[in-house]
Each structure stands twice: as structure tokens, then as C-alpha cells.
Amino acid sequence: GQFENLQRAQLRLMIVVPIALLMILSLLYATYRNWVDSLRVFTGVPFAWIGGVLALWVRDMPFSISAAVGFIALSGVAVLDDMLLVSTIRQLRRKGRSLDEAVEEAAMTRLRPILMTTLVASLGFVPMAFSTGMGAEVQRPLATVVIGGVCSAMVMSLLVLRVLYVVFNTPVEKLRSDADAGDDDDGDDDGHRLEPDEPIDPKIRRVPETASV
């Protein structure tokens, strides 16, 4: 009876959860066209799951099917804060800001939107988290997971994601600078690629050889 329904639900979750995570990652790649930034934003999912597990532990609730559904819903909500931060950093980098300046300015300017996103997602589940009426045993674990997860995702986005962005972006920038330096070695100071017989100064024109008399 009830135990068989639980087993069937667990089997469905083993299929649904990986599909949901792959869909989230694919949508992030479609947005950024960059695996590095997509994985940066996707790190909000495990950070949010940590908060959901801690919220269940604080309220002394067991892991149930409704809690698992809450983790699935949380996975989609948790990436919103990271998307705000990463998108702002990318825009500032295009404007010529250095890496440290872009990360710091993005965290300061996007603090209010990130707080509003977290409050909207968490306060909407507060009545469900403390409900005592019919269906409360299903609503409370789901709401508890979402509230704890979005709060931890907010903290991790403002603190940990900034560090991850700098750590993962430094090797990429180093490779790009090395590649640019290699391109500069093949040209002159103006970025002009030299041919084998071309003079160093592009202003100097080769004098055609006169035919011998």
C-alpha cells in the first residue's frame, strides 16, 4: 500500500531530478553560450540544497517526497541570484572594468535585487511552512526546503560566488593574455602581421628591383 507508493515515487524522483538539473544547465548554457559562466551560476544549486537540508534539520523534519519536490523547485529558484550577479559582472567587464572592480561593483549594485528575489521567494512560502490544517504534512516540508534553500543561496551568491568567479576567471584570463602575447610576437607594434619578406616598419615600402642592363 503506502510503502509501495513511496517506492514508486522514489523511482520517479531518480529520473525526474537528473532531468531537471540537465534542463537547468542547458538553459544556462543557452543564455551565456559559455560553459564557465554556466557552471558558475549552476553552483547556486548545491549551495541552496545545503540550506534546504539544514532547514529540515532545524525543524526536525524527515526527508519525504514533498521535501524532494521542494528541492526540485528550489533548483530553479536558486540560480536567479547567481544569474543577476554573473550577468552584471559580464556587463561591467565589457565596459573595461578590471576583474576585482567588476566583482565588487556587481555585489554592491545588485545587493538590493538579490535581497528582493530572496524575500519574494521565501515570504511566499511562510504560510505553507507553518500551516496546521489539512495537507500540512505535505506543505510544511516543501516550504521549509524552499525557504532555507533560497536564504542560503543568497548568502552564498554574495560571498562565495564572488570568490569562485575570481578563482576560475584568473586562469582563463592568463590563457587569453598568453594567446594575445603570442599573436603580438608575430606582428609589429601596431598589430600588423608581418610576412616573411616584409620590412619591420610598415611605412617603408620595398623598392622594386630594376632589371639589369
Side-chain angles (χ1 to χ4, degrees), residues 8-190:
R8 285 196 293 268
Q10 289 177 347
L11 290 176
R12 293 193 191 99
L13 287 175
M14 292 177 63
I15 300 173
V16 172
V17 172
I19 292 176
L21 295 178
L22 287 175
M23 289 181 64
I24 293 171
L25 187 58
S26 62
L27 289 174
L28 291 175
Y29 179 76
T31 301
Y32 294 109
R33 299 292 182 181
N34 186 350
W35 281 114
V36 177
D37 288 336
S38 301
L39 291 175
R40 284 183 188 132
V41 177
F42 191 75
T43 54
V45 175
F47 291 155
W49 285 3
I50 294 173
V53 172
L54 290 177
L56 289 176
W57 176 72
V58 169
R59 298 198 66 186
D60 196 18
M61 290 183 177
F63 181 80
S64 59
I65 299 301
S66 61
V69 174
F71 279 107
I72 296 175
L74 179 62
S75 301
V77 178
V79 298
L80 297 178
D81 296 338
D82 293 347
M83 288 187 69
L84 285 173
L85 197 61
V86 171
S87 299
T88 306
I89 293 174
R90 286 163 60 96
Q91 292 175 0
L92 293 173
R93 293 285 288 161
R94 292 192 193 102
K95 293 179 180 179
R97 302 286 201 284
S98 65
L99 178 61
D100 295 336
E101 291 177 352
V103 171
E104 184 177 358
E105 185 174 349
M108 295 297 292
T109 56
R110 291 303 173 184
L111 176 61
R112 185 178 298 175
I114 289 175
L115 288 176
M116 292 300 297
T117 303
T118 303
L119 289 176
V120 169
S122 59
L123 293 179
F125 284 93
V126 169
M128 293 176 59
F130 295 97
S131 63
T132 57
M134 185 178 297
E137 66 276 0
V138 177
Q139 296 176 2
R140 283 184 296 176
L142 190 151
T144 300
V145 167
V146 174
I147 293 174
V150 294
C151 292
S152 66
M154 176 195 67
V155 175
M156 295 296 183
S157 296
L158 294 174
L159 299 179
V160 179
L161 183 64
R162 296 166 57 186
V163 178
L164 291 177
Y165 200 99
V166 174
V167 169
F168 284 105
N169 205 72
T170 302
V172 175
E173 285 195 342
K174 186 176 181 181
L175 290 175
R176 290 176 180 173
S177 62
D178 292 342
D180 294 340
D183 293 339
D184 293 340
D185 291 340
D186 296 335
D188 58 6
D189 295 337
D190 297 330

